[in-house]
Amino acid sequence: MLAISSFGAFAPQPIHKSELLSQAEVEALGIVWRGNATEISSHESLSATDLPSDFTWCNNNGVNYCTPSLNQHIPQYCGSCWAHGTTSALADRIKIDRKGNVGFPDIQLSVQHMLNCGNAGSCHGGSLDGPYQWIKGLGSTGISYLTSQPYMACSSESKEGFCPNADWTCKPEKVAVTCGTFGEACVGLSHYPNATVSDYGTISGSDAMQKEIYNRGPIACTIDATPLHKYTGGIITTKGGFTNHIISVVGYGTDSDKGLYFIVRNSWGEYWGENGYVRVQAGALSMTNCAWAVPGEYTAPEKGNQFPCFEDGSNCVASVEKAA
């Protein structure tokens, strides 16, 4: 069952200059700070031997396992980096699990579903820990796909742009929706493509980041984004201050001059940086705390597990109770 967000009581207001909530705000939402799904993290069992000096999931033996870059700032600004960074890393891991899904479209997860229902943040800030904990808690219903709930850059407390003119509270049509042709009513769907999480955890430090990325896939990390505002290319070496942003890390490399660096996908669009990416020297931009998730079940053509709804959704209409 889907949990209606209780986020309103703790909704961060626009006074936040960071897109990250404080530890106190995160814990007030019921999120475990730097939490792991199991008492002993499965990360500890991963091998750290024979790691290559250069590795990226965007070109692993000629296969691109990286899903598309997105822009959190359109159709208007929304401080949802925390949702973009975590869902993009998870989508990559799903693609890895699908062996590159040659012949099938990439699975893209719905950031808006998380903004509407996730109880992990809003357009005015979120957390590294909350997204994977929330998805794991959804059980078999999972997070919906982008095609069922497109990104609108709004959350329930947003006052920007068109946000006040719509309802962003968690209910069936804010999880997965379709609208019939020629003015027919929109309906929330009882069945929709979705993805689940079977395990999650947190790590810290360059060694753990390399080990997790190489063995299981991209990760999400906190970062000081201020030095990135005017970044146009190259390996950035600025040490950074406090973290205020979340990104996904898809690989790493070794430079003859700057040493180890990480390949980072941002959520500012492909017009920025190196086609939406930045290379960050190990230890730079305060990028050391990260989270990872292991995909559980997910809807995919090769699995034959889709429930087909009619064009107008009439055979999949969700009751209000199903969102509770």
Side-chain angles (χ1 to χ4, degrees):
M1 303 297 285
L2 295 167
I4 292 180
S5 172
S6 58
F7 184 72
F10 303 102
Q13 297 303 309
I15 57 172
H16 280 276
K17 294 183 179 180
S18 170
E19 292 182 351
L20 301 184
L21 300 180
S22 68
Q23 181 174 350
E25 289 171 311
V26 169
E27 292 177 339
L29 293 171
I31 298 164
V32 178
W33 184 260
R34 303 296 180 258
N36 294 293
T38 55
E39 184 175 353
I40 299 176
S41 172
S42 61
H43 170 82
E44 301 304 321
S45 65
L46 302 178
S47 172
T49 60
D50 299 324
L51 296 182
S53 59
D54 297 86
F55 179 82
T56 175
W57 284 105
C58 294
N59 184 2
N60 183 9
N61 293 321
V63 180
N64 176 19
Y65 294 92
C66 295
T67 51
S69 296
L70 301 176
N71 188 347
Q72 70 181 84
H73 294 172
I74 53 174
Q76 58 204 359
Y77 172 74
C78 174
S80 57
C81 65
W82 53 276
H84 276 85
T86 53
T87 55
S88 64
L90 178 58
D92 291 347
R93 288 192 173 207
I94 291 173
K95 188 170 182 177
I96 293 166
D97 188 71
R98 299 176 75 194
K99 315 301 182 190
N101 62 313
V102 176
F104 295 109
D106 287 348
I107 287 171
Q108 293 181 265
L109 306 177
S110 174
V111 169
Q112 193 61 49
H113 179 197
M114 189 175 291
L115 283 169
N116 295 339
C117 301
N119 199 36
S122 74
C123 282
H124 296 108
S127 70
L128 177 66
D129 306 288
Y132 294 150
Q133 293 181 29
W134 171 67
I135 298 174
K136 180 72 161 62
L138 291 176
S140 61
T141 60
I143 183 171
S144 64
Y145 290 1
L146 178 67
T147 54
S148 301
Q149 192 64 227
Y151 182 61
M152 302 300 288
C154 291
S155 51
S156 60
E157 86 303 337
S158 296
K159 304 300 181 186
E160 293 76 23
F162 52 78
C163 295
N165 299 319
D167 182 2
W168 306 102
T169 56
C170 187
K171 51 191 175 183
E173 59 264 37
K174 296 304 178 183
V175 175
V177 66
T178 193
C179 300
T181 56
F182 299 108
E184 295 177 16
C186 300
V187 297
L189 301 175
S190 58
H191 297 79
Y192 50 89
N194 67 89
T196 66
V197 161
S198 63
D199 191 11
Y200 65 81
T202 56
I203 54 175
S204 183
S206 296
D207 290 346
M209 291 168 65
Q210 284 182 271
K211 183 172 75 168
E212 183 67 38
I213 291 167
Y214 178 74
N215 282 281
R216 295 200 287 199
I219 57 179
C221 303
T222 56
I223 196 171
D224 178 3
T226 304
L228 294 177
H229 290 173
K230 296 183 179 181
Y231 170 82
T232 57
I235 300 173
I236 192 163
T237 60
T238 309
K239 290 305 177 186
F242 84 31
T243 55
N244 54 14
H245 189 58
I246 289 176
I247 45 72
S248 54
V249 186
V250 303
Y252 59 86
T254 305
D255 180 76
S256 59
D257 178 42
K258 297 179 176 65
L260 178 67
Y261 64 87
F262 289 96
I263 304 168
V264 170
R265 174 178 49 206
N266 206 348
S267 52
W268 293 349
E270 291 171 296
Y271 70 90
W272 173 88
E274 297 180 333
N275 297 106
Y277 284 74
V278 53
R279 287 171 290 161
V280 180
Q281 184 183 52
L285 301 184
S286 303
M287 189 181 71
T288 185
N289 292 315
C290 306
W292 53 266
V294 175
E297 287 299 315
Y298 51 87
T299 309
E302 65 272 21
K303 288 177 172 282
N305 58 356
Q306 177 195 6
F307 184 96
C309 298
F310 298 161
E311 177 266 347
D312 62 359
S314 57
N315 66 324
C316 295
V317 178
S319 66
V320 173
E321 290 76 14
K322 287 187 178 181

